[in-house]
Amino acid sequence: MTSASTTTSTIYSATETPSSTDTGTIVTTIASVSAPLITNTIVASSSISETIDTNTLTTDVTLSTTTSTVSTSSTESSSSSSSSSETTDSSSASIDVNLYTTTSSALTISVPTDSTTQTTESSIYTTTSSVSSTVSGTSDSSTASIDVSLYTTTSAASSSSTSESSSSGTSSSVISSSSSTSGYTGDLFSVIDTAAPPSVFPRENLYLSLTDGVSNGDTPYETNKFYTNMMLDDQDDFVFVYPYAVWWLKDTYYGLGISHTTYSDYVFTYDDDSTTASSYSNPLDVESLVLSADSFDSSVTLDLTEMEHMSVLATLSESSSTTNFIDFPLVQGMGFVTGVYNGGLTPIINSAVGFSVITQEESDALASGILKYRATLYNEVDWLIYVTLPDGYTTSDFSFTTESSYELKGSASIDGLIIQVAVAPDSTQEAYYDEAAGMYPTAANVSGTVTDSTSAVYSLSYTTSGKSYSGSTMVFALAHHVDSLSSTTADLATGISLYSTTKGKMYGYLTTELIMEETLETDIQFLPWVANMTSDLSYTADQLQLIAAAANSELSVDIATTVASLDSNYYSGKVIDKYAYILLTVSEIIGSEDVTKQTLSAMKDAFAPFLNNTQYYPLMYDTLYKGVTSTASQSGDTDLDFGSGYYNDHHFHYGYFVHAAAIVGYVDAKYNGTWAEENKDWVNSLIRDVANPSSDDTYFPISRMFDWFHGHSWAAGLFSAADGKNEESSSEDYNFAYGMKLWGKVIGDNSMESRGDLMLAVMKRAMNKYFLYSDDNDVEPSPIIPNKVSGILFDNMIEHTTYFGSNTEYIQGIHMLPITPVSSLIRGAEFVKQEWDEVIASIIDSVDSGWTGILRLNEALYDATTSYSFFSSDNFTSTYLDDGQSLTWCLAFSAGIMNST
């Protein structure tokens, strides 16, 4: 920083506080929490388990943990008798499985099957009673059966023993889950495709018309970014650019309202006598400053153009005028709020708080042609005001005068005049603003590269206009950026900090680029994984038997019919992914090739209606905003399919399908299948809609859902809300990135795979600061830390609740589901234990619903032994399972982690 000298001259000083009769008023209205527009994508506890209209899902899965006893004299081959047979619905197949062999003698356990049973569905059978090495059950010769040897032990069972052999309980099957071997070095943001989405998606305009003045030409519209409020309805809800909030003012003052709040402004809400806050928010409508013009009135219009994923150009114009307007480039992280005056407008700056003192200052750190003012408001907050004159003018050609305690008026109308405002920092840091004044960002873009699949560098690069003393502008970074900044960027720190509305302090850098570095975790693949694994994934014989028994029950349904019967793409996605995890378990952990093939075939059948776009709510390609979205709201009902027609929750919905497709493609390729290649365009269309990485793809906006500035996605779509964008389920957010990563691996798109890894690395940082609260969290305010999770994170508020209820299990569980191999990356063992001890332990015994299984499988992230004990208990029932959760996966995940940590 240049050592700057300054001089000041007071041009206005109020002698007393303005009276209530003055034309301006201090507006300090606190926004009340209204009912949300969109219901969440999870139903309440009373209906969390599957309520599909089919008898195949009502079977209760109850397993015994009694182990097999090997005996040469036993004639019993099942828990009831040697002649009993396992029955399923008449459409289900019964597949004979030989579960257990030893190195001394093979035990063939077969299930007698009625000759009328059709072999159309997969089923795995295991027994938990004593079996005979000399007796084999037989099936009718007309019934197809599969006899599979799943695992062997290293010790022989005694032919005369009547007690449990060591081989049945202590031997293990070891499964190595290799990391990515691509060793990819290259662009992290390579285009996925530039071709039109498949024709199976009909072309239609979305039911929601564009608001007058909103135009992006042929460029796809960003439907889920910080400026959505300016695109919709009356266009006057708040836009949270961070660190400032801005909005279009249409009454009393006419222009762009500007507000900044700090910790002392936070409003906390407490339930009963609790010392833990259930929410906190920021006051709205505090018009600290308003950039306006003397001719602006109620006829002013707002246009939005140049809508990109981190920026937008907002333009306020005199009615019917094409020459008199103010351009406001709004860019995430911008250090100044900037207005560029065009035509014959005379600048006005208003303040509803009121000006106490106005001084003009000089600094030798200012570029030529820049004036500097300091405005002290009646709330004792200082704002810096910089005026940059265009070439051909000198600083003597313009000045501000005070018209009242609420208004500064420019002395002249100058085409191309730039006014910039910022909250003043400590006086020792002020020269940094002086050095940055005159330059402002107009857009920002993300780019990045990876080396050997693990070392990633990504940057937020700002396009700028104007000129400054330093040749740079002021950019504010969030806490998760700061932790990963490159040394080059870190050296540009100014020491200036400003509070954001819901993400703690932001930090100022004199730069035009934020460069971050991440180490990517490539060990996370398809199979169970936690960060503290000390050995390869492994399972004992008893565990494999229980997993097989669960799969036997859960595969006894018609998967395609089950999935197709659901009335939401969200529900269908959850359930098809549930069966994909069972397919993965049968293929990779149980190792039954024949059952794998039959389940794989069933999964392909389940995908068929979606690939043919004949599901309950078909998808379409929206030719207006440009994206693949649900047809549910084409009649105008925005609540259907959870609002996904208006681009709500796309990452939640599509993430399940993408992950399920990755498993099907992965398993299919083992048998030289081409399913992934044949259906790549369909799956890629979902990914392109949510997370298109490149402007070369002109059919979708860049990164519709994931916000590269905030480090997580937003879920609200084309719905306005005074508190800004929001996200509830952090776990379904990273579930999409995980699925995308695996799909990239399956189709050989190295850039996509590594980009998924980068998104996960960024979310690990961001979510553990803004969504998940370890005891040592120093970003969010201390009164909410005991909640352990955010609940719903808005731009302007954090509320510890959900859209579907305030039960503790709902609020905590929505940040857990689904529990997958990537969960441990985000939800570390230390945090999970803290959350369990401080919040969940006191309520777990009273939770009796599908949330029980979610909480208990999450427990495996720090205590897999207790988790496995729950799922393998004699008392377990399927009512504990969420509709997207299978006992097969719960056992496979918890047992595998228990044995490997």
Side-chain angles (χ1 to χ4, degrees):
M1 177 181 70
T2 302
S3 177
S5 60
T6 61
T7 59
T8 65
S9 59
T10 302
I11 61 174
Y12 173 79
S13 179
T15 57
E16 59 183 28
T17 302
S19 70
S20 59
T21 58
D22 286 334
T23 53
T25 58
I26 301 177
V27 181
T28 58
T29 303
I30 307 300
S32 62
V33 180
S34 58
L37 291 173
I38 299 300
T39 57
N40 193 58
T41 52
I42 288 290
V43 295
S45 172
S46 60
S47 58
I48 191 66
S49 59
E50 292 173 276
T51 55
I52 303 164
D53 186 21
T54 171
N55 292 332
T56 55
L57 286 187
T58 61
T59 302
D60 200 44
V61 181
T62 304
L63 298 181
S64 170
T65 57
T66 306
T67 57
S68 299
T69 302
V70 181
S71 170
T72 59
S73 60
S74 173
T75 60
E76 193 173 36
S77 59
S78 74
S79 58
S80 56
S81 72
S82 61
S83 62
S84 68
S85 63
E86 180 169 345
T87 60
T88 64
D89 186 271
S90 60
S91 62
S92 299
S94 178
I95 301 173
D96 300 335
V97 179
N98 177 5
L99 284 175
Y100 188 156
T101 63
T102 69
T103 55
S104 61
S105 59
L107 301 177
T108 302
I109 305 172
S110 302
V111 186
T113 312
D114 188 283
S115 61
T116 61
T117 303
Q118 298 188 19
T119 58
T120 58
E121 294 292 322
S122 300
S123 174
I124 300 172
Y125 174 82
T126 181
T127 182
T128 56
S129 66
S130 59
V131 296
S132 171
S133 63
T134 61
V135 177
S136 172
T138 60
S139 61
D140 189 280
S141 60
S142 63
T143 303
S145 63
I146 301 174
D147 190 47
V148 181
S149 175
L150 287 177
Y151 50 88
T152 61
T153 66
T154 55
S155 61
S158 168
S159 61
S160 60
S161 174
T162 58
S163 62
E164 179 180 343
S165 167
S166 62
S167 63
S168 66
T170 60
S171 63
S172 64
S173 172
V174 179
I175 301 166
S176 176
S177 178
S178 61
S179 63
S180 174
T181 57
S182 61
Y184 174 62
T185 297
D187 188 2
L188 282 165
F189 294 87
S190 294
V191 67
I192 298 171
D193 200 347
T194 58
S199 60
V200 72
F201 303 118
R203 270 52 176 171
E204 298 181 29
N205 273 4
L206 191 70
Y207 183 84
L208 178 67
S209 300
L210 289 168
T211 304
D212 289 344
V214 176
S215 177
N216 225 28
D218 292 331
T219 302
Y221 288 84
E222 296 283 359
T223 58
N224 208 28
K225 297 305 178 186
F226 69 94
Y227 51 83
T228 304
N229 278 343
M230 279 188 173
M231 296 174 62
L232 302 170
D233 303 327
D234 294 331
Q235 299 179 274
D236 55 359
D237 273 325
F238 300 88
V239 168
F240 298 90
V241 193
Y242 286 74
Y244 298 102
V246 301
W247 68 103
W248 179 21
L249 280 166
K250 304 178 181 180
D251 187 22
T252 305
Y253 300 119
Y254 305 95
L256 189 76
I258 304 166
S259 176
H260 176 262
T261 51
T262 189
Y263 188 95
S264 61
D265 299 309
Y266 291 169
V267 179
F268 293 91
T269 301
Y270 296 85
D271 295 332
D272 301 323
D273 296 326
S274 175
T275 58
T276 300
S278 59
S279 71
Y280 82 92
S281 61
N282 295 262
L284 298 171
D285 288 324
V286 180
E287 298 155 13
S288 296
L289 297 179
V290 182
L291 294 186
S292 183
D294 67 343
S295 57
F296 275 13
D297 55 24
S298 59
S299 65
V300 168
T301 60
L302 170 64
D303 293 329
L304 281 191
T305 56
E306 300 179 24
M307 288 171 270
E308 300 181 8
H309 68 110
M310 289 181 63
S311 62
V312 66
L313 179 62
T315 302
L316 292 178
S317 306
E318 284 185 348
S319 178
S320 71
S321 174
T322 59
T323 56
N324 294 334
F325 57 90
I326 310 174
D327 280 333
F328 298 100
L330 305 178
V331 187
Q332 290 176 305
M334 63 187 193
F336 301 96
V337 179
T338 300
V340 181
Y341 285 71
N342 296 274
L345 294 177
T346 300
I348 294 287
I349 301 179
N350 298 113
S351 173
V353 178
F355 297 111
S356 173
V357 178
I358 303 293
T359 58
Q360 184 174 353
E361 301 181 351
E362 295 182 357
S363 168
D364 57 12
L366 289 170
S368 61
I370 298 179
L371 295 166
K372 178 184 177 182
Y373 296 86
R374 177 185 302 275
T376 302
L377 306 187
Y378 278 104
N379 60 5
E380 299 183 350
V381 175
D382 283 4
W383 288 74
L384 301 178
I385 302 172
Y386 296 92
V387 181
T388 302
L389 289 95
D391 291 343
Y393 292 86
T394 66
T395 54
S396 61
D397 293 324
F398 184 88
S399 63
F400 271 122
T401 58
T402 57
E403 300 294 299
S404 73
S405 295
Y406 304 102
E407 181 175 303
L408 299 179
K409 185 174 181 179
S411 61
S413 58
I414 299 176
D415 185 33
L417 186 80
I418 301 169
I419 297 180
Q420 296 176 283
V421 300
V423 173
D426 183 274
S427 60
T428 61
Q429 301 163 334
E430 195 168 306
Y432 285 115
Y433 274 116
D434 297 345
E435 291 185 45
M439 180 177 286
Y440 55 94
T442 58
N445 191 40
V446 61
S447 60
T449 58
V450 64
T451 301
D452 198 26
S453 294
T454 56
S455 299
V457 177
Y458 76 104
S459 65
L460 305 178
S461 302
Y462 289 81
T463 302
T464 60
S465 188
K467 59 184 178 180
S468 67
Y469 182 90
S470 65
S472 294
T473 189
M474 183 71 68
V475 173
F476 278 87
L478 287 163
H480 77 278
H481 297 136
V482 174
D483 286 352
S484 59
L485 287 174
S486 69
S487 59
T488 302
T489 304
D491 288 344
L492 301 175
T494 63
I496 298 171
S497 65
L498 286 176
Y499 271 96
S500 68
T501 45
T502 55
K503 290 187 167 76
K505 284 185 178 180
M506 301 182 71
Y507 301 89
Y509 293 82
L510 195 62
T511 185
T512 58
E513 184 176 33
L514 298 176
I515 303 173
M516 279 72 67
E517 299 172 341
E518 292 286 359
T519 299
L520 308 186
E521 180 55 82
T522 59
D523 285 341
I524 303 170
Q525 297 295 315
F526 288 93
L527 295 174
W529 180 91
V530 292
N532 59 333
M533 290 178 70
T534 57
S535 63
D536 285 337
L537 204 61
S538 64
Y539 298 88
T540 68
D542 286 347
Q543 291 167 348
L544 290 170
Q545 287 182 330
L546 290 175
I547 296 168
N552 173 51
S553 175
E554 291 172 321
L555 290 176
S556 66
V557 303
D558 186 321
I559 298 174
T561 300
T562 299
V563 173
S565 68
L566 300 168
D567 63 354
S568 165
N569 286 315
Y570 173 72
Y571 291 141
S572 295
K574 287 185 67 174
V575 175
I576 202 170
D577 202 23
K578 161 185 171 178
Y579 287 106
Y581 273 109
I582 298 176
L583 169 63
L584 178 72
T585 303
V586 171
S587 173
E588 304 301 296
I589 295 175
I590 297 176
S592 172
E593 181 173 319
D594 291 332
V595 178
T596 294
K597 288 180 178 179
Q598 290 205 26
T599 308
L600 175 62
S601 177
M603 286 297 295
K604 292 179 181 179
D605 290 342
F607 259 106
F610 300 92
L611 298 173
N612 295 321
N613 209 35
T614 58
Q615 69 270 31
Y616 192 91
Y617 286 124
L619 302 179
M620 68 179 193
Y621 179 75
D622 169 20
T623 50
L624 180 58
Y625 293 88
K626 298 191 177 181
V628 171
T629 194
S630 173
T631 56
S633 297
Q634 286 302 85
S635 63
D637 189 339
T638 59
D639 289 336
L640 296 176
D641 210 6
F642 301 101
S644 65
Y646 280 23
Y647 295 97
N648 187 63
D649 290 356
H650 275 204
H651 54 322
F652 298 164
H653 293 209
Y654 296 171
Y656 289 108
F657 286 100
V658 172
H659 179 266
I663 288 179
V664 172
Y666 170 71
V667 175
D668 185 61
K670 292 174 58 178
Y671 304 109
N672 298 315
T674 57
W675 187 90
E677 183 62 30
E678 292 166 4
N679 298 291
K680 181 172 70 173
D681 291 345
W682 185 88
V683 180
N684 277 354
S685 292
L686 303 188
I687 296 174
R688 291 164 68 188
D689 178 80
V690 172
N692 168 35
S694 172
S695 60
D696 292 341
D697 184 347
T698 59
Y699 291 93
F700 299 90
I702 293 176
S703 194
R704 183 191 306 282
M705 309 303 288
F706 190 75
D707 191 318
W708 283 98
F709 185 79
H710 284 277
H712 62 85
S713 300
W714 298 106
L718 289 170
F719 297 92
S720 59
D723 286 308
K725 308 306 291 183
N726 77 85
E727 175 153 278
E728 184 179 47
S729 179
S730 58
S731 47
E732 288 178 306
D733 186 353
Y734 57 75
N735 185 59
F736 174 87
Y738 173 56
M740 185 184 83
K741 158 198 166 73
L742 295 181
W743 177 251
K745 180 183 183 69
V746 168
I747 64 172
D749 187 331
N750 293 327
S751 179
M752 180 189 291
E753 181 181 3
S754 290
R755 188 168 58 257
D757 280 327
L758 175 61
M759 290 167 67
L760 293 170
V762 173
M763 280 190 273
K764 176 183 179 180
R765 292 187 187 277
M767 288 180 174
N768 280 282
K769 293 184 182 296
Y770 318 133
F771 289 90
L772 310 177
Y773 309 143
S774 296
D775 293 347
D776 60 355
N777 185 294
D778 59 358
V779 173
E780 294 297 342
S782 58
I784 71 165
I785 299 304
N787 292 327
K788 308 319 294 177
V789 299
S790 55
I792 307 173
L793 172 72
F794 293 84
D795 274 317
N796 192 57
M797 174 175 67
I798 292 179
E799 188 170 11
H800 192 241
T801 189
T802 73
Y803 282 127
F804 51 91
S806 57
N807 286 18
T808 299
E809 65 268 27
Y810 303 170
I811 304 171
Q812 309 304 129
I814 200 62
H815 290 277
M816 299 174 186
L817 65 84
I819 292 89
T820 74
V822 79
S823 297
S824 177
L825 178 72
I826 311 295
R827 301 176 63 83
E830 182 178 1
F831 163 76
V832 175
K833 185 179 187 304
Q834 290 174 6
E835 181 187 32
W836 187 276
D837 292 343
E838 298 170 29
V839 179
I840 298 173
S842 62
I843 59 111
I844 187 63
D845 290 339
S846 63
V847 179
D848 185 10
S849 67
W851 292 102
T852 309
I854 293 168
L855 300 180
R856 285 293 189 179
L857 192 57
N858 171 76
E859 185 181 21
L861 301 180
Y862 91 96
D863 182 2
T865 300
T866 303
S867 176
Y868 177 74
S869 177
F870 171 79
F871 289 107
S872 61
S873 168
D874 292 347
N875 298 322
F876 183 88
T877 76
S878 60
T879 59
Y880 293 147
L881 295 173
D882 171 57
D883 55 358
Q885 195 175 31
S886 71
L887 181 58
T888 305
W889 176 248
C890 292
L891 288 167
F893 188 88
S894 58
I897 299 306
M898 177 177 68
N899 300 337
S900 307
T901 53

